[in-house]
Amino acid sequence: MGGYGSGRPGWRGVIEGRRRADIRMMRRRRWLIPGAVGSLSWFFNGEPLGEVSYRVGVNLDHLELLYNIRDDDGAPWERVQIRVPITRVPCRYGGERTYWRCPRCWRRCEVIVMASGGHAWGCRTCLGLRYTSQGLDTHHRLQHRADSIYARLGSDGGADWI
């Protein structure tokens, strides 16, 4: 017991630390209009982290991502263009819901994530990513849950709740 490789898997990347495109957010902000053009930006502590231009297909059947990347060794900028299919599923009581089709595994998903090299995008499953809470032990997971409940109630979880 306790040999090499035992314990909780910590080698997998975390989805919260990646650049991602959420179709629910794009729907809420009304960015998914056929033929629309715009950009997705990411920030960390107020500093810009990256930007990707997008173009929605005329039939709302795909999203085209356009951006430039460069390796760490100072190579010239490389233009990347990725096409992410969009699928629409009818809802039971009318209307429809839109999903991405993962460019790697073709699964239906609501969030796609940029792979570490920047040359590809995929869903959380096919990129092998996890949520931060999945790497916590039992005590820290329960503490995180209690902190989120206290935050919803408008307190920091101090002695005033005893």
Side-chain angles (χ1 to χ4, degrees), residues 21-100:
D22 189 341
I23 200 163
R24 298 166 296 192
M25 179 269 304
M26 293 182 81
R27 250 192 335 250
R28 273 192 309 268
R29 295 184 181 176
R30 304 202 193 300
W31 290 355
L32 287 179
I33 299 170
V37 176
S39 65
L40 297 170
S41 301
W42 297 276
F43 298 92
F44 181 72
N45 290 336
E47 296 293 321
L49 207 72
E51 183 175 87
V52 172
S53 299
Y54 70 86
R55 187 177 358 184
V56 181
V58 178
N59 298 327
L60 195 64
D61 60 345
H62 71 278
L63 180 82
E64 218 170 287
L65 299 171
L66 308 156
Y67 56 97
N68 295 320
I69 60 171
R70 179 169 60 179
D71 293 332
D72 291 337
D73 60 359
W77 289 94
E78 179 183 346
R79 183 83 170 153
V80 178
Q81 181 175 354
I82 294 182
R83 189 179 188 130
V84 181
I86 296 176
T87 185
R88 294 181 294 219
V89 176
C91 294
R92 182 171 287 182
Y93 297 110
E96 61 186 13
R97 183 165 289 182
T98 53
Y99 293 97
W100 306 124

Side-chain angles (χ1 to χ4, degrees), residues 1-2 7 9 23-24 34 42 46 48 56 70 74 76 82 85 97 102 105 113 118 123 131 137-138 149 151 155:
M1 287 185 43
I23 200 163
R24 298 166 296 192
W42 297 276
V56 181
R70 179 169 60 179
I82 294 182
R97 183 165 289 182
C102 175
C105 64
V113 184
C123 66
Y131 293 106
D137 60 354
T138 306
I149 292 171
S155 173

